Amino acid sequence: VVGTGYVGLVAGACFAESGNDVVCVDNNPTKVRLLRRGKIPIYEPGLEELVRRNRTEQRLTFTTTLAKAVRDSAVIFIAVGTPQGEDGSADLKHVLDVAREIARAMNGYKVIVDKSTVPVGTSEKVREVIRRETTHPFSVVSNPEFLKQGAAIEDFMKPDRVVIGAEDPRAQALMLELYEPFTRTGAPIMMMDCASAELAKHPANAMLATRISFMNEVANVCELVGADVHHVRKAIGSDKRNGNSFLFRGLGYGGSCFPKDVQAMKRFAADREYEFKILDAVESVNKLQKTKLDGQMKKHFGSLKGKTIGVWGLAFKPRTDDMREAPSIPLIEALLSAGASVQAFDPEAMRIAKGIFGSRITFATNGYDAVKGADALAIVTEWNEFRRPDFGRIRSLMRSPVIFDGRNLFAPAQMKQNGFTYYSIGRS
């Protein structure tokens, strides 16, 4: 597995857990030394234990030497980054560079698998790069990942489906053998052409992103007409064609996948002279939704100058330390621009947040520390530990008992009873 980022490390550890000998390759010596000690550079529940166990049992190794890893392997996964360009397209430089190095190291038939999230046509580009560098036989496979941050191990070990793009019967057989242990409960292995497999990831995430933004639009209408989005959501979700997943209102989507994949979907549609209008709207709604709490605060206070705001939650969602495109970032920037002071806490994302905000905000040691002397509390990420706080303690610590709840963790009647002025999303 080439690349020990989120996808590569999870894939490597899970393949090793099912009995395979796995070599994870990275060009960062410091990172490799860390992984060899059983330490991991990201927070993902269960991953550190999985890495340590398979390191101890010698099924999982880490190296900076790509050539030897290629020679020793039957299947090589490319799981390096595909950063987003200014125009929304994916930068394939790292993927193609790795493909070139793999080709130069080959010593026989290999299956090269694109695990990175890539646009349609990448497998053909990888195939051409390898073909120019070697005479050894090989197959190129597309195998997109569908991992949720915070539940990646479970998603890999018990997938909803496995998508494999492979035209070569020999490669198909190897991939089926590799994934068989993970699909014994009946999850389908969907075998298809490479182009279809490459396309499967972006619209899957674009659809989920669309559902989030759609429900946020519904919540905004609920506020205007005096309806309760909680009841409306249940009515919509009871239709089996819709389901309840991703019908939760909030402050918009973030992370590494949805923003990038919506952009990528728009981009390769535009490359084919098709304007994907609904995704333009999805992005617009999502951007506007991230200003929701800021707007509520300005309406309540009039001016935020000199106010102190406590913030609970910095990661884009619970069970991860990822702050890419997190709603907390534009909110905090808006508060600072308006002259407010910010006291923030997150169970896992504090280190990342310090790299973003530096000394411009105060980093609290816990949730109660974040509300000490605050004029208001903003709830941004729905960590479980925020769901059952001591309201009496919070009220006694705050300068004024005002809560702006971006995740609807509490019932309005409950908050009124506890003596708070309470704002939420999609409820009058």
Side-chain angles (χ1 to χ4, degrees):
V1 180
V2 186
T4 61
Y6 188 83
V7 173
L9 193 54
V10 170
C14 290
F15 281 135
E17 182 73 4
S18 67
N20 298 288
D21 292 324
V22 179
V23 183
C24 286
V25 184
D26 202 286
N27 62 2
N28 184 332
T30 303
K31 194 175 184 182
V32 169
R33 284 195 297 270
L34 186 74
L35 289 164
R36 284 173 174 171
R37 295 200 303 268
K39 302 291 184 181
I40 61 172
I42 58 173
Y43 174 72
E44 177 62 37
L47 181 57
E48 186 167 348
E49 178 188 347
L50 210 62
V51 169
R52 283 182 178 175
R53 178 165 64 249
N54 284 282
R55 277 280 299 149
T56 300
E57 296 178 7
Q58 298 183 338
R59 288 192 298 265
L60 180 63
T61 57
F62 298 95
T63 184
T64 57
T65 309
L66 176 63
K68 185 178 186 306
V70 169
R71 290 192 294 270
D72 291 345
S73 301
V75 183
I76 301 130
F77 284 82
I78 301 177
V80 295
T82 52
Q84 182 179 310
E86 291 184 5
D87 63 357
S89 62
D91 185 350
L92 297 177
K93 179 182 183 302
H94 301 307
V95 170
L96 298 179
D97 284 348
V98 167
R100 193 173 293 109
E101 289 185 57
I102 290 170
R104 291 170 180 170
M106 283 169 56
N107 58 347
Y109 176 74
K110 306 290 180 183
V111 175
I112 295 97
V113 185
D114 285 331
K115 195 68 175 170
S116 303
T117 299
V118 295
V120 179
T122 300
S123 60
E124 190 51 50
K125 292 179 180 178
V126 168
R127 194 174 288 114
E128 183 56 36
V129 164
I130 296 173
R131 193 179 289 125
R132 288 199 298 263
E133 299 290 340
T134 185
T135 57
H136 288 293
F138 66 93
S139 300
V140 174
V141 170
S142 178
N143 176 217
E145 55 85 15
F146 298 95
L147 305 178
K148 296 189 299 291
Q149 287 176 277
I153 302 300
E154 185 176 359
D155 284 348
F156 200 103
M157 302 295 279
K158 300 176 182 178
D160 294 329
R161 78 291 203 195
V162 175
V163 174
I164 298 171
E167 290 90 1
D168 185 340
R170 188 173 174 184
Q172 290 176 350
L174 273 170
M175 295 300 289
L176 285 171
E177 182 182 352
L178 188 60
Y179 274 106
E180 188 273 334
F182 306 108
T183 58
R184 288 177 178 171
T185 56
I189 296 179
M190 300 177 178
M191 196 68 68
M192 60 190 72
D193 60 279
C194 284
S196 296
E198 288 169 336
L199 188 58
K201 173 67 183 290
H202 289 107
N205 273 353
M207 174 60 80
L208 298 177
T210 301
R211 286 166 66 85
I212 291 171
S213 289
F214 170 76
M215 205 58 206
N216 281 328
E217 291 261 61
V218 172
N220 293 337
V221 174
C222 285
E223 288 184 10
L224 295 174
V225 301
D228 189 324
V229 70
H230 176 65
H231 300 309
V232 175
R233 171 186 171 270
K234 286 200 296 184
I236 297 171
S238 64
D239 186 329
K240 292 180 181 179
R241 293 169 298 175
N242 291 323
N244 283 307
S245 298
F246 288 86
L247 278 176
F248 288 98
R249 62 279 161 268
L251 297 176
Y253 58 81
S256 63
C257 293
F258 287 1
K260 186 174 75 168
D261 287 352
V262 170
Q263 277 277 319
M265 190 77 180
K266 285 174 54 184
R267 178 64 191 180
F268 54 69
D271 287 344
R272 291 154 180 79
E273 299 183 345
Y274 180 82
E275 184 182 3
F276 214 129
K277 293 182 179 179
I278 193 169
L279 293 187
D280 287 333
V282 166
E283 287 190 316
S284 177
V285 170
N286 194 57
K287 183 177 181 181
L288 190 63
Q289 198 68 20
K290 291 180 180 181
T291 68
K292 188 74 179 177
L293 296 191
D294 172 47
Q296 288 179 339
M297 288 183 199
K298 287 176 178 175
K299 188 174 181 180
H300 176 84
F301 288 112
S303 171
L304 293 173
K305 189 172 183 179
K307 301 294 183 184
T308 298
I309 310 297
V311 173
W312 280 5
L314 296 165
F316 87 94
K317 71 172 190 176
R319 292 173 63 84
T320 183
D321 59 354
D322 197 338
M323 285 189 62
R324 284 173 288 185
E325 302 288 337
S328 61
I329 298 174
L331 171 63
I332 291 174
E333 292 291 359
L335 293 175
L336 295 176
S337 296
S341 300
V342 174
Q343 301 172 169
F345 172 73
D346 187 283
E348 293 295 339
M350 300 288 270
R351 179 181 61 84
I352 306 295
K354 287 175 182 177
I356 296 171
F357 297 111
S359 60
R360 293 187 296 150
I361 70 174
T362 300
F363 292 96
T365 55
N366 55 53
Y368 296 107
D369 191 31
V371 301
K372 192 178 297 181
D375 297 286
L377 166 63
I379 301 174
V380 181
T381 312
E382 62 271 38
W383 286 92
N384 282 339
E385 65 188 75
F386 298 156
R387 293 179 181 275
R388 294 290 183 270
D390 183 338
F391 290 115
R393 184 179 176 187
I394 292 173
R395 195 175 62 251
S396 69
L397 289 169
M398 295 181 72
R399 188 177 298 154
S400 58
V402 184
I403 294 179
F404 297 86
D405 185 355
R407 300 299 175 181
N408 289 14
L409 296 188
F410 313 120
Q414 173 195 22
M415 300 310 293
K416 184 177 180 179
Q417 185 177 351
N418 280 291
F420 288 92
T421 300
Y422 180 70
Y423 296 84
S424 57
I425 305 294
R427 300 186 292 194
S428 58

